[in-house]
Amino acid sequence: MGPTTLPKKPIDNWEQVRDEWVTTVEQLVRAVESWAQGQGWAVRREPKKIEENRIGAYEVPQLLFQLPAGRFLLDPVARFVTGAEGLVDLYVLPSYDAVMIARARDGWVLHSQNADGARQDLTEQTFVDTVLQLAKAA
Amino acid sequence: MSKRQDRLQRIRAVEREYLAATVAVDLLEEQLRANPAYLVPFELRNRDAGQLRANLEATFLIRVFAEFESGLRDAWDKAFGRTTHPPLRDLLPAIAALRLVPQDWLDEADEVRAYRNTLVHEGESNATIIPLDETRRRLCRYFSHLPRDW
């Protein structure tokens, strides 16, 4: 992937880190897309351009999906995050209630929006449960 | 309204006060052009009006930052149950780690902190000048990652 913008504060192997992050996000979006389709929810991908000071500009997919109770957006945020190795938000629209999906060393973890910061591993079951819970707040 | 939303609105409200204040200063300057002695009955000089214009944005930036800091400390205490009172340079990364704030957002909020310090402690460092609208954008973006309620 050729960068359109060079990083402002590049890390040593920024191109490698950027490409690895893009691949990881694409894998996550593919998995979530499959889980959502399995529930019969209509899904649509949209490209999102992100720029980070350490790895420059890149493009990743966002995923929109629709439930009767509301629209959802799986929204990649950043590779460089304090306390994680990448972050994707899951929003319900129009309330914008959200959970954070953080990349840990051994996989993706759901972080509650609440102050308790409850965490659980991201699986098809936890994803569906979380979406249904967020849908109540839509 | 959620606690987070309330705090974000307070920050935005200070920015709107600034915009209202710029209109007021424009009117004052117009008045002074028409009547250079306009401030005399108030025992003020035209130089005071000039200083008001020169310091207006910095004054409101300090207020915007105070709202931001107050919101952070409220969350630190009530949302995260902490009893400590760390300096802001430590509080920003500590909350960022608890709430998975992107590194760039943390860096940019910290640049505002450094700039605010140069305004408050005159000549302390040569931090980058950050306009008020950019200040509000950076601080609200950081704050948007705090819990919805506490």
Side-chain angles (χ1 to χ4, degrees), chain A residues 50-87:
Chain A
I50 297 175
E51 187 172 347
E52 294 187 60
N53 289 337
R54 287 158 183 79
I55 55 174
Y58 58 89
E59 194 173 282
V60 282
Q62 289 178 312
L63 193 69
L64 279 156
F65 52 100
Q66 180 82 46
L67 272 71
R71 294 173 68 219
F72 285 78
L73 179 63
L74 184 73
D75 183 35
V77 178
R79 162 62 181 82
F80 283 88
V81 174
T82 318
E85 296 184 10
L87 181 68

